[in-house]
Amino acid sequence: MCRTGSSILSRARFLVLAALAGLAGGSLAGCGFAPLYGTAGDPPATASVADRLNQVQVQNIPERPGQMLRQALEDQLYVAGTPTVQRYTLNVAYSINIQGVGIQTDTSVTRNRFVAIGTWTLGPVGAPATPLATGTATTEDAENIIDQQPFTQTLETGTIDQQLADEIAGQITTQIAAWFKAHPAA
């Protein structure tokens, strides 16, 4: 059984440690931590991770959920605006599987689980068939379909598709950023 007081105390300790880190120059580099998107510790000649993310060209992803994912990727990758130089190509295979999980005795379904999977490949623009990095992002969501009108269910499914796309895009962006951080010369 979890005690409420201990989680409040843990939060207070975390805040104190965060404040101390801020007073010590805001850097936790001595502890092995480094900013993912920042330039702290990077050689001056190396582009920051954020700059390199802005050089990724996102290829088309088929169907409406794929278009939503591509838009979400562009929103998260291009924080500095539309890229002027594209050095990398990102290809994503995206699928959403729907499983009925709330099955009644009359075999009707009252809840659907949506499982989204995005498999990505990052390559150089000149040779996209030569991957620099690959990865997979997964997430899931669910909807209740008890007594819903078809229009309401369509709206809810559209909202779920957008939430799945945003989550998959966030995971892919983080994975690519981590790869750029680990491979500054690529």
Side-chain angles (χ1 to χ4, degrees):
M1 181 152 194
C2 180
R3 294 179 303 176
T4 307
S6 65
S7 64
I8 291 172
L9 184 57
S10 297
R11 287 185 185 135
R13 285 181 185 160
F14 174 76
L15 292 174
V16 168
L17 289 174
L20 288 174
L23 292 174
S27 174
L28 295 174
C31 300
F33 293 103
L36 181 60
Y37 294 100
T39 56
D42 288 344
T46 305
S48 73
V49 171
D51 292 339
R52 293 174 70 198
L53 287 174
N54 203 49
Q55 298 172 350
V56 175
Q57 175 187 13
V58 182
Q59 296 296 311
N60 288 329
I61 307 170
E63 299 182 12
R64 180 67 183 142
Q67 294 169 2
M68 295 168 90
L69 175 59
R70 182 172 190 243
Q71 183 62 50
L73 280 165
E74 289 177 345
D75 289 346
Q76 293 187 26
L77 290 170
Y78 305 153
V79 293
T82 305
T84 55
V85 176
Q86 295 176 337
R87 294 183 52 207
Y88 308 96
T89 300
L90 178 64
N91 290 302
V92 181
Y94 184 57
S95 65
I96 299 175
N97 300 314
I98 303 172
Q99 305 165 338
V101 291
I103 301 173
Q104 301 297 306
T105 55
D106 64 351
T107 69
S108 63
V109 176
T110 61
R111 187 165 176 81
N112 283 331
R113 177 184 303 141
F114 293 74
V115 179
I117 302 170
T119 305
W120 60 269
T121 303
L122 182 71
V125 167
T130 308
L132 297 171
T134 60
T136 302
T138 61
T139 190
E140 62 182 58
D141 205 338
E143 73 175 341
N144 292 324
I145 54 175
I146 300 173
D147 297 330
Q148 285 193 7
Q149 297 296 321
F151 178 73
T152 306
Q153 188 172 355
T154 301
L155 287 176
E156 187 172 355
T157 302
T159 301
I160 289 172
D161 286 345
Q162 186 63 56
Q163 291 170 341
L164 293 172
D166 290 342
E167 177 62 26
I168 293 290
Q171 289 180 29
I172 291 173
T173 301
T174 302
Q175 291 172 12
I176 292 172
W179 187 86
F180 280 146
K181 189 71 170 180
H183 300 87

